[in-house]
Amino acid sequence: MAGKKRKYIMVMTTVGSEEQAVVIADALVNKKVAACVNIIPSIRSIYRFKGKVWDDEEYLLIIKSTENNYSEIEKTITELHNYEIPEILSFPMEKGSRNFLNWIEESVL
């Protein structure tokens, strides 16, 4: 993409099972909207939802991509997620090794 600098992002979401984590990760990578999805098991989330405090074990997904793929990432997560309100947060990558950023660039649409 000569002349135009792409913006790189990391997107985070949490899910309630390893199976759902793998389904979402596979879908994002196969659609070429994510270069990589890290699945971090066994995190503990304590949160308030619908007037009740919950204490659940979850899996954290860290998705590496470019900003122009965010909409499709959000859409895919929303379609495949079983939570009523899935956590979907995007953060800009301010800096990164050029080789790693090039790899992201080559791995996504």
Side-chain angles (χ1 to χ4, degrees):
M1 197 164 202
K4 185 175 182 185
K5 184 178 178 185
R6 286 177 80 169
K7 295 181 181 177
Y8 301 93
I9 60 171
M10 287 194 304
V11 180
M12 291 178 22
T13 191
T14 54
V15 297
S17 71
E18 182 177 15
E19 178 183 22
Q20 187 167 69
V22 171
V23 165
I24 291 171
D26 282 345
L28 294 171
V29 173
N30 283 315
K31 287 182 174 187
K32 293 188 175 184
V33 295
C36 173
V37 180
N38 299 118
I39 299 172
I40 302 169
S42 194
I43 63 167
R44 185 174 178 183
S45 297
I46 299 172
Y47 58 96
R48 182 176 302 281
F49 185 64
K50 293 189 173 183
K52 182 180 173 189
V53 174
W54 300 81
D55 186 344
D56 290 323
E57 182 178 353
E58 294 185 297
Y59 291 76
L60 174 65
L61 279 68
I62 302 175
I63 302 149
K64 280 77 135 205
S65 190
T66 55
E67 189 174 60
N68 60 317
N69 285 314
Y70 176 80
S71 293
E72 185 62 29
I73 291 169
E74 181 179 335
K75 178 182 169 204
T76 301
I77 292 171
T78 301
E79 287 173 353
L80 297 174
H81 214 294
N82 65 359
Y83 287 1
E84 186 176 333
I85 304 173
E87 170 188 15
I88 306 171
L89 303 171
S90 177
F91 303 93
M93 289 185 200
E94 296 295 327
K95 294 183 182 180
S97 76
R98 178 50 36 208
N99 288 338
F100 187 77
L101 298 178
N102 287 343
W103 171 76
I104 292 174
E105 182 81 26
E106 294 165 3
S107 300
V108 299
L109 297 174

